[in-house]
Amino acid sequence: MRQYRHFDNVLLVVFFSHPRYDVNLDYYERTYAEYFPNMVFVGPASREDAGFNHSYDVIVDSYGSAENLTNPEFYQMAGRMAHHMLFTVMKDHPCYHGYLWAPFDTLLNVPRLQQFDQNRFWYHSPFGEYVPNSALESDQDPDLHAPPARISPDPALNLTEDWKGWGPDWCDPHVGLPACLPAFRKAPSSQHRRLASFFENGTERFLGGSSDTLYVPGIHREAFLETLALFLETECFMEIALPTTVHLVVPPSERILFVDHWWIWQPPFNATFVRMKWEEGFEVDTFHTFHWGDAAEGESWRAHPENIEDVRELLQESARRQGVRLPVATSQVTGRSPTASSLLPVDQRQA
């Protein structure tokens, strides 16, 4: 019987930008099922990397999942439209206290996340409030936290000239600011006033950055979906649409809780990264990219099963750092579809 109950009424939405289910899905479930009994996997329909055994474990949403990295006119990346997947799952699962969104290759520091208020939004917002951390020497020092999401220039500026320094994705005519502006302008005036209130001079900006960790409290689910739907009517890509939606929707009386989320390109792509940041005096609430395996020549995927036990040990280390108790995870894959169990009413799910 499960001993851990902190996230019993939270739906963990695990998305795949590519159909790399296979060991990634299995290992993710083995590692986190003890802590998140309500877990949904969502991803594109193509199963070429997954194998038939996983075909019915994934809610399918293939919108914008095609990838073409060879076209110099449009660098089309699969994960840019993954916010459609979040909308799909949240729309069809209305009865949860909160929704935690993360890709399969993001590590979750459970002892840290359990200290976050589930009635508030979580994101690495530049206006976020740090969650107290007894393991840090000065947990309110911005220099000891992960980089926050970025604040855009004024949308009224020339998008082809004044935005160049903000990154090619954001001024891309296909998915960047030119695509996002129509949705932005349709947002209610009350939301525009809320967004402007974040800035001293009352101007409006977009927010942009990694959307690999986001928590939406259930009480704000309807407003969040209504606003996100405006962006889904455009080709605005995820890393503008999701952060901007959060900052449009969050009530004026609330602050977003800051997630120490790290986004890395270079190894180590495993729990070693977290221990390294601890040594440097930082915290890691979540990080992307974490590898449960790697592509191997002549194989669909080469698994790293040792990462399961290593993450479990890391979570125990984190619990000791935080001074909290964390039951030892012993969950194994049962063969039951996680999407099927998540459809049950909360009071009917198995302990």
Side-chain angles (χ1 to χ4, degrees):
M1 180 176 291
R2 290 178 53 253
Q3 302 178 53
Y4 189 85
R5 299 290 182 181
H6 195 79
F7 294 105
D8 275 13
N9 204 13
V10 169
L11 182 62
L12 176 58
V13 184
V14 184
F15 75 95
F16 287 76
S17 299
H18 302 79
R20 296 170 182 161
Y21 307 119
D22 200 28
V23 298
N24 293 307
L25 189 154
D26 286 341
Y27 287 9
Y28 199 97
E29 186 181 19
R30 288 185 187 182
T31 303
Y32 294 114
E34 177 74 21
Y35 310 113
F36 295 95
N38 310 304
M39 193 183 304
V40 165
F41 298 101
V42 57
S46 176
R47 314 289 182 186
E48 57 264 28
D49 295 331
F52 182 79
N53 290 339
H54 295 82
S55 295
Y56 298 102
D57 291 336
V58 179
I59 292 177
V60 173
D61 189 328
S62 296
Y63 186 88
S65 62
E67 185 166 274
N68 181 359
L69 308 182
T70 63
N71 182 356
E73 300 298 321
F74 181 22
Y75 191 75
Q76 187 173 348
M77 190 179 299
R80 283 178 170 168
M81 295 300 152
H83 48 307
H84 287 256
M85 300 179 190
L86 178 60
F87 186 93
T88 295
V89 173
M90 288 184 63
K91 178 178 179 294
D92 291 343
H93 296 75
C95 56
Y96 288 89
H97 186 78
Y99 301 83
L100 179 57
W101 161 259
F104 75 93
D105 50 356
T106 284
L107 182 140
L108 305 177
N109 186 342
V110 176
R112 277 293 298 159
L113 297 180
Q114 74 180 42
Q115 299 180 63
F116 283 57
D117 186 344
Q118 293 179 11
N119 295 309
R120 295 164 68 179
F121 285 95
W122 312 347
Y123 183 64
H124 59 121
S125 166
F127 310 103
E129 175 184 327
Y130 300 127
V131 177
N133 188 333
S134 59
L136 293 185
E137 190 171 312
S138 177
D139 62 5
Q140 301 303 306
D141 183 350
D143 292 334
L144 295 180
H145 290 274
R150 301 183 68 190
I151 301 170
S152 81
D154 188 334
L157 298 176
N158 186 312
L159 293 179
T160 59
E161 294 298 328
D162 300 301
W163 283 76
K164 283 184 177 178
W166 213 54
D169 287 339
W170 279 268
C171 58
D172 186 301
H174 302 93
V175 299
L177 266 298
C180 302
L181 276 169
F184 184 73
R185 290 168 177 155
K186 286 183 180 180
S189 58
S190 60
Q191 292 187 353
H192 282 278
R193 288 194 296 272
R194 173 53 176 149
L195 185 62
S197 72
F198 284 104
F199 304 97
E200 290 183 3
N201 58 3
T203 61
E204 292 184 294
R205 298 286 190 269
F206 286 92
L207 278 296
S210 170
S211 297
D212 295 327
T213 304
L214 171 67
Y215 175 84
V216 180
I219 192 172
H220 299 312
R221 170 185 167 275
E222 187 173 342
F224 178 82
L225 290 180
E226 287 178 356
T227 303
L228 182 59
L230 300 176
F231 289 94
L232 299 189
E233 294 173 355
T234 73
E235 293 302 301
C236 181
F237 85 115
M238 178 173 69
E239 292 186 357
I240 293 177
L242 279 184
T244 303
T245 295
V246 169
H247 289 79
L248 286 166
V249 169
V250 63
S253 60
E254 295 181 14
R255 290 187 68 186
I256 299 164
L257 295 182
F258 186 89
V259 179
D260 272 295
H261 173 72
W262 300 83
W263 200 97
I264 63 172
W265 280 92
Q266 302 295 330
F269 299 119
N270 54 31
T272 300
F273 172 79
V274 180
R275 297 182 178 103
M276 288 171 55
K277 300 311 287 186
W278 286 346
E279 288 279 336
E280 296 171 14
F282 295 93
E283 185 56 85
V284 179
D285 296 329
T286 63
F287 92 86
H288 179 275
T289 307
F290 179 90
H291 284 190
W292 299 107
D294 289 289
E297 187 175 353
E299 304 174 43
S300 61
W301 206 259
R302 178 181 56 210
H304 298 321
E306 65 275 10
N307 281 352
I308 298 174
E309 289 304 321
D310 194 29
V311 172
R312 288 177 176 175
E313 175 54 35
L314 180 83
L315 297 183
Q316 293 299 321
E317 293 171 28
S318 178
R320 292 190 288 271
R321 278 169 51 88
Q322 297 298 314
V324 301
R325 179 182 175 274
L326 186 73
V328 176
T330 58
S331 302
Q332 299 294 321
V333 172
T334 62
R336 182 184 65 201
S337 166
T339 58
S341 75
S342 71
L343 295 176
L344 292 173
V346 174
D347 60 357
Q348 295 180 27
R349 297 190 192 111
Q350 292 183 354

